[in-house]
């Protein structure tokens, strides 16, 4: 056997011996790398939650600060968690506008962020109206869960202390189109523009938002 033949044979032996090691390394890479971030949202039916039974909901007039006192007691009924940091498996943003008799109401900062102690999957960082969904799992979230975290009553008829009458209805729009179901069951998707108006609505109804950078 020539030198070249012996070198080729040993090379093949080496490759064969390394095969299981290479396979093991590839499997480790595949199964230990982070799950890719989803920025589109998850479709499906909304979670079944008895929103009327949540403790600590604000039922007065605006403005409405984040309610933290009963927040830990609302998390389990809401199907949410007290997270130690932001999660990225599902990471989407929506914009929320609220109007009472034609006047805008601030969506406050730090909804769902309890003084740095923990944050929930649904929260705000500032008062821009941007809602953050940052979850360690891909699952459906609904608008009612956000209001439950906020600690603000929301139903098909009432927003906080404002309840619909014949002359002052409570209405919801998504991307400029009327949403006629229970707003608590509105499934959150990426880049929705959600408008809730009690009484006189704004003209025009906001239907777009610049989500660049989010």
């Amino acid at each position: 056997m020539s030198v070249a033949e012996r070198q080729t044979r040993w090379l093949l032996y080496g490759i064969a011996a390394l095969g299981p090691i290479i396979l093991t390394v590839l499997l480790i890479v595949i199964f230990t790398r982070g799950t890719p971030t989803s920025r589109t949202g998850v479709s499906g039916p909304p979670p079944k939650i008895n929103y009327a039974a949540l403790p600590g909901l604000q039922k007065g007039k605006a403005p409405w600060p984040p309610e933290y006192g009963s927040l830990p007691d609302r998390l389990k009924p809401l199907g949410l968690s007290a997270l130690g940091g932001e999660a990225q498996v599902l990471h989407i943003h929506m914009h929320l506008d609220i109007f009472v008799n034609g006047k805008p109401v601030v969506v406050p900062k730090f909804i769902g962020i309890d003084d740095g102690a923990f944050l929930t999957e649904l929260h705000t960082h500032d008062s821009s109206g941007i809602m953050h969904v940052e979850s360690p799992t891909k699952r459906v979230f609904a608008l009612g869960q956000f209001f439950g975290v906020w600690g603000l009553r929301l139903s098909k008829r009432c927003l906080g202390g404002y309840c619909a009458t014949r002359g002052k209805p409570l209405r919801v729009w998504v991307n400029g189109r009327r949403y006629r179901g229970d707003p608590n069951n509105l499934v959150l998707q990426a880049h929705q523009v959600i408008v809730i108006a009690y009484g006189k609505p704004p003209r025009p109804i906001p239907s777009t938002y610049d989500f660049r950078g989010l």
Side-chain angles (χ1 to χ4, degrees), residues 54-120:
L54 295 173
L57 294 182
Q58 300 173 80
K59 299 178 181 179
K61 306 297 185 181
W64 301 289
E67 200 288 323
Y68 299 120
S70 299
L71 177 56
D73 297 321
R74 293 194 299 271
L75 290 183
K76 186 175 181 179
L78 286 169
L80 302 175
S81 305
L83 304 176
E86 295 179 346
Q88 297 293 319
V89 173
L90 176 64
H91 188 186
I92 58 176
H93 304 92
M94 296 66 55
H95 189 266
L96 174 64
D97 283 306
I98 296 178
F99 296 89
V100 172
N101 296 321
K103 296 181 179 180
V105 176
V106 172
V107 178
K109 63 181 179 180
F110 301 147
I111 293 172
I113 301 178
D114 190 1
D115 196 25
F118 67 86
L119 57 80
T120 69

Side-chain angles (χ1 to χ4, degrees), residues 8-182:
T8 300
R9 176 173 293 182
W10 280 111
L11 178 62
L12 292 174
Y13 287 158
I15 293 173
L18 288 173
I21 297 174
I22 294 172
L23 178 61
T24 300
V25 171
L26 288 174
L27 290 174
I28 291 173
V29 170
I30 291 171
F31 288 104
T32 59
R33 68 184 180 183
T35 304
T37 297
S38 172
R39 294 186 177 272
T40 59
V42 179
S43 299
K48 294 182 179 180
I49 296 169
N50 184 4
Y51 292 102
L54 295 173
L57 294 182
Q58 300 173 80
K59 299 178 181 179
K61 306 297 185 181
W64 301 289
E67 200 288 323
Y68 299 120
S70 299
L71 177 56
D73 297 321
R74 293 194 299 271
L75 290 183
K76 186 175 181 179
L78 286 169
L80 302 175
S81 305
L83 304 176
E86 295 179 346
Q88 297 293 319
V89 173
L90 176 64
H91 188 186
I92 58 176
H93 304 92
M94 296 66 55
H95 189 266
L96 174 64
D97 283 306
I98 296 178
F99 296 89
V100 172
N101 296 321
K103 296 181 179 180
V105 176
V106 172
V107 178
K109 63 181 179 180
F110 301 147
I111 293 172
I113 301 178
D114 190 1
D115 196 25
F118 67 86
L119 57 80
T120 69
E121 291 93 335
L122 306 175
H123 56 267
T124 62
H125 290 288
D126 53 36
S127 57
S128 66
I130 291 293
M131 303 160 57
H132 297 251
V133 176
E134 298 174 15
S135 171
T137 59
K138 292 181 182 179
R139 58 191 179 97
V140 171
F141 292 95
L143 183 63
Q145 289 173 292
F146 177 80
F147 275 80
V149 170
W150 186 349
L152 178 59
R153 174 171 67 168
L154 176 67
S155 70
K156 198 169 182 178
R157 183 172 174 269
C158 295
L159 171 66
Y162 303 95
C163 291
T165 64
R166 183 183 297 270
K168 292 187 175 183
L170 179 66
R171 290 172 286 188
V172 179
W173 290 262
V174 181
N175 300 333
R177 300 183 65 179
R178 278 289 304 277
Y179 177 86
R180 299 182 183 275
D182 185 339

